[in-house]
Amino acid sequence: MGKIIRMLLISVMVAVSITACSGKSEQEAAPSTSASAGGAGSSVGEKTKVVFSTGIPDNAWRRALEFFMNTANEKLKDKNIEVVAEYYPSEEEMWKVLPAQIVSGSAPDLIGLNNEGVLELITNGTFTSLDDLIKEVGYDTSKLDAANVNGWKYEGKQYALPLTTTISALAVNMTMLKEAGIAEAPKTMDDLVKAALAVTDKEKGQYGVGVNLHEFHISQYLHAFGGGWNFGKDMNSAGNQQGLQFIVDLFNKHHVAATPAQLGVNGDTDAFASGKVAMTTAGPWYVATLRDKKVDFEWKLVPIPEGTVQKSTLYGWALAMLDSAKNKQAAMEVIAAMLSDESYRYLAEERGDIPAKTSFVPTYEQLYPEMKVVLETAGSAVAFNYPVAANRFKTDLVTGMESIIFQNRGNVNELLEKMATDGYQK
Amino acid sequence: MASTAAKTKLSLAQRDYVAGYIFVAPILLLMLVWFYYPALQSLLYSFQEINFLKMADARYIGLGNFQKLFADPAFWQAAKNTVIITAVSVPALVIFGFLVAYNIEAVMRGKAAYRTLYYIPAVTSAVALTISVMYLFIERGAIPTLLNRVFGIPDVTWPADTRTALAFVCILVIWKNLGFFVVLFITGLQAISNEIIEASKVDGATGLQRMWYITIPQLRPTTSLVVILSIIWCMQCFDEPYTLARSGGVVGSPAGTTSTLVTFFYSQNFRYFNPGYGSAAAFVIFAVLMLVSVIQRAYSGRSQDHA
């Protein structure tokens, strides 16, 4: 029996040591997470640490964020506040990990994201309202683009402050259009169809319009016909029906459209840069990408053509504070310091992103004249206004449109009716 | 005195029995913490309505998630696709796995090179493999053009077309997993006694007869293992359809034709923040896999009894 007891003890010791090892490695693997467990209130010596997280699509964006944080840390030296980063490989990964971090109390204090589908996070209380904190630190939001700032408001409360502004546009391959005898970029959706019909040559694998069946691109057509998602209300509006039907017709009636996946390329930017499509809904990121790729054709970015109205979509990439942040004042100080003039200048001059601070927009316009005509539409631009359950909404919209276009299953009225019935409120 | 009493109470067999439990105790403890507890928690979630972002507001809804699940067309579409992937890929993996292994064993030179060649996809990341293979199946590419000319299959970009996307996933699943099953079959082939083979040769059996009457029956345990593993892997198909979604659309694009039970479960949990509903889906997958395993074990046990 003594032997058995000894063996039992050894087994328990082995198990405990393995568990202890795994616990230790977890702590080592996520140092910034453990810092955030204490939230913004956790201190190293006298310093208050604020953990900032975001998904990183590429190294250029990482460099930009590090510049913003280094600048902020310089400014916050006297206040003994330090911002530290905890990156996720992508925004998709961030949404996989963040809910578990929130539940376990190890979530970061601040996150960076765009407002394509943030309502779910606001209504669930994941984000904290910044209004009082903005006043406390004395940050002047009137210097930021009003439409962009408003895009981060819900029920009158401010939930994030933007670093960049993004305005949708139409990218046009002027070389292809001119070869087909069309001198001007389309101003209306009718012009777009005419131009698309003129340039489409399926034998050559060349299409008039590249339509990425993604909620961002689908929404551009809706907005052009006066439609919108309106947080899930009035989904089956005439504008929405017209917008979706226009997309279906591009594929099935006019036969002038192809998706990037059908063309075997990775996204709409690549489809356009490859010269396989003459036109596509786009955004400011096209300028830097097309310049980098040194494409051998003449291209233009123009406002989204008018269906029944001219409407671009305006949104931004912003900093939001999680409700679980322990020291909200310190976290707000970090937001204010990251939204510095240096950051906005960097965005305009180094990144080629439209700075959300309006005083830096002329610098951007000077450096990126391709976007000037698009920026003029900002005043009348609208926000996405996706409903609360944004991801479920996006899946149903995209899958529904794919079924109609590729399988001839149902029609846009049925799809919108079904989506209106759901409402996507939870 | 007490230890003397204990010594007299436990027989040698009993002491071995206890010692066995002690040896497995550490791993059992770890499995309890890392597997059984989360599984139990997940089972509890499946009876609740929960928002991942607001766990404190969870409420018990009985079988509500399961009722909703069985009435959800997206779930049935995912289930149908999973069954098709399994029905197509499992026989292909078993047949091609065996044939490739048999031929590798038959060659005199370069066995190791062939084995490595077939095993490469198995150790390649599914994401990298999916992206690489995607470029071979683009409209007007060599493979779609050839298949169009020979079989009249539409010359389209396979992953993006609703008629061919699921077939493309099956090709990926077979491509990725074939190497592993080839290795299993090679191991099984090497375990067959040479004496039986030699005796059959003396009796005048042809190569085909030897394969049919000796090799295949002798490989029954290996084949059973290959069948059960390939069914489980096909039922758990995730990486390939998930990677396809990265080139546009949503998970399951185009039009849900590449959704599987696991992508459905993933979307519910991590995209819609709905772990209650996602857990219900996970337990249905678990139940189906258990059922398949039990049937397979029962069948395999009976076959071995017959043998």
Side-chain angles (χ1 to χ4, degrees), chain A residues 119-121 123-124 154 231-232 235 386-393 396 419 421-426, chain B residues 48-54 57 59 61 65 68 268 271-274 277:
Chain A
L119 194 53
E120 190 157 22
L121 303 168
T123 55
N124 281 318
Y154 184 68
F231 302 114
M235 276 198 174
Y386 295 146
V388 172
N391 284 333
R392 198 161 56 78
F393 154 80
D396 286 357
M419 291 175 71
T421 307
D422 187 309
Y424 303 94
Q425 295 308 306
K426 65 172 189 175
Chain B
Q48 293 174 347
E49 187 182 69
I50 318 168
N51 185 321
F52 220 151
L53 300 170
K54 235 177 176 178
D57 291 356
R59 66 187 184 95
I61 55 164
N65 282 327
K68 192 175 151 197
Q268 294 300 333
R271 280 182 57 77
Y272 313 153
F273 307 125
N274 196 352
Y277 196 49

Side-chain angles (χ1 to χ4, degrees), chain A residues 11 92 202 205 262 391 395 402, chain B residues 140 157 253 255 266 271-272:
Chain A
S11 301
E92 176 95 7
K202 288 189 180 177
Q262 284 178 312
N391 284 333
T395 300
E402 287 174 340
Chain B
R140 278 184 280 276
T157 302
S253 278
Y266 165 82
R271 280 182 57 77
Y272 313 153

Side-chain angles (χ1 to χ4, degrees), chain A residues 72 94 109 126 135 140 158 172 196 323 326 334 345 375 418:
Chain A
M94 180 168 92
D109 303 301
T126 305
K135 277 182 207 151
D140 186 1
Q158 191 73 43
V172 184
D323 195 50
K326 297 273 190 322
V334 169
R345 188 173 296 115
L375 281 164
K418 200 173 136 204

Side-chain angles (χ1 to χ4, degrees), chain A residues 1 4 7-8 11 15 18-19 22 26 92 95-96 99-100 102-103 120-121 123-124 126 202-205 207 212-213 261-267 391-392 394-395 398-399 402-403 406-407 426, chain B residues 3 6-7 10 15 18-19 22-23 25-26 29-30 34 49 51-55 59 77 135 138-140 157 160 162 242 246-257 266 270-273:
Chain A
M1 194 62 193
I4 289 172
M7 280 158 67
L8 188 63
S11 301
I18 291 170
T19 314
S22 67
E26 241 175 50
E92 176 95 7
W95 294 122
K96 268 201 267 178
I102 293 169
V103 172
E120 190 157 22
L121 303 168
T123 55
N124 281 318
T126 305
K202 288 189 180 177
E203 288 304 307
K204 286 188 193 165
Y207 290 83
N212 190 349
L213 288 173
Q262 284 178 312
L263 297 169
V265 292
N266 191 19
N391 284 333
R392 198 161 56 78
K394 289 172 190 176
T395 300
V398 172
T399 307
E402 287 174 340
S403 293
F406 302 131
Q407 297 179 307
K426 65 172 189 175
Chain B
S3 90
K7 263 181 194 169
L10 287 177
R15 267 187 281 167
V18 173
I22 290 167
F23 278 119
L29 190 68
L30 291 174
W34 299 113
E49 187 182 69
N51 185 321
F52 220 151
L53 300 170
K54 235 177 176 178
M55 296 291 274
R59 66 187 184 95
Q77 163 107 55
Y135 290 113
I138 289 172
E139 186 180 358
R140 278 184 280 276
T157 302
T162 51
Y242 180 75
R246 290 159 65 117
S247 66
V250 291
V251 178
S253 278
T257 51
Y266 165 82
F270 300 112
R271 280 182 57 77
Y272 313 153
F273 307 125

Side-chain angles (χ1 to χ4, degrees), chain A residues 53-57 61 65 86-92 94 112 317:
Chain A
S53 287
T54 191
I56 294 288
W61 189 229
L65 291 170
E86 182 189 289
Y87 297 124
Y88 303 97
S90 64
E91 202 159 298
E92 176 95 7
M94 180 168 92
W317 192 91

Side-chain angles (χ1 to χ4, degrees), chain B residues 32-89:
Chain B
L32 199 70
V33 174
W34 299 113
F35 178 75
Y36 293 109
Y37 169 70
L40 182 69
Q41 190 67 51
S42 184
L43 181 66
L44 293 176
Y45 284 167
S46 69
F47 300 110
Q48 293 174 347
E49 187 182 69
I50 318 168
N51 185 321
F52 220 151
L53 300 170
K54 235 177 176 178
M55 296 291 274
D57 291 356
R59 66 187 184 95
Y60 180 76
I61 55 164
L63 293 172
N65 282 327
F66 291 94
Q67 281 167 347
K68 192 175 151 197
L69 190 69
F70 291 127
D72 187 343
F75 172 75
W76 287 111
Q77 163 107 55
K80 188 181 106 186
N81 292 343
T82 308
V83 169
I84 292 172
I85 291 168
T86 309
V88 171
S89 307

Side-chain angles (χ1 to χ4, degrees), chain A residues 187-208:
Chain A
K187 288 196 171 69
T188 67
M189 287 296 178
D190 287 341
D191 294 343
L192 181 130
V193 172
K194 277 179 206 153
L197 284 166
V199 300
T200 298
D201 184 346
K202 288 189 180 177
E203 288 304 307
K204 286 188 193 165
Q206 181 177 301
Y207 290 83

Side-chain angles (χ1 to χ4, degrees), chain A residues 55-126:
Chain A
I56 294 288
D58 53 53
N59 279 334
W61 189 229
R62 178 192 281 256
R63 278 198 301 276
L65 291 170
E66 273 162 14
F67 177 84
F68 306 153
M69 285 188 289
N70 291 340
T71 311
N73 282 335
E74 275 298 311
K75 288 178 187 294
L76 295 169
K77 235 180 211 170
D78 298 341
K79 293 181 179 173
N80 280 328
I81 299 170
E82 185 187 9
V83 56
V84 292
E86 182 189 289
Y87 297 124
Y88 303 97
S90 64
E91 202 159 298
E92 176 95 7
E93 286 297 316
M94 180 168 92
W95 294 122
K96 268 201 267 178
V97 179
L98 191 62
Q101 287 183 306
I102 293 169
V103 172
S104 64
S106 62
D109 303 301
L110 302 175
I111 60 168
L113 75 172
N114 76 46
N115 54 347
E116 278 191 75
V118 292
L119 194 53
E120 190 157 22
L121 303 168
I122 293 170
T123 55
N124 281 318
T126 305

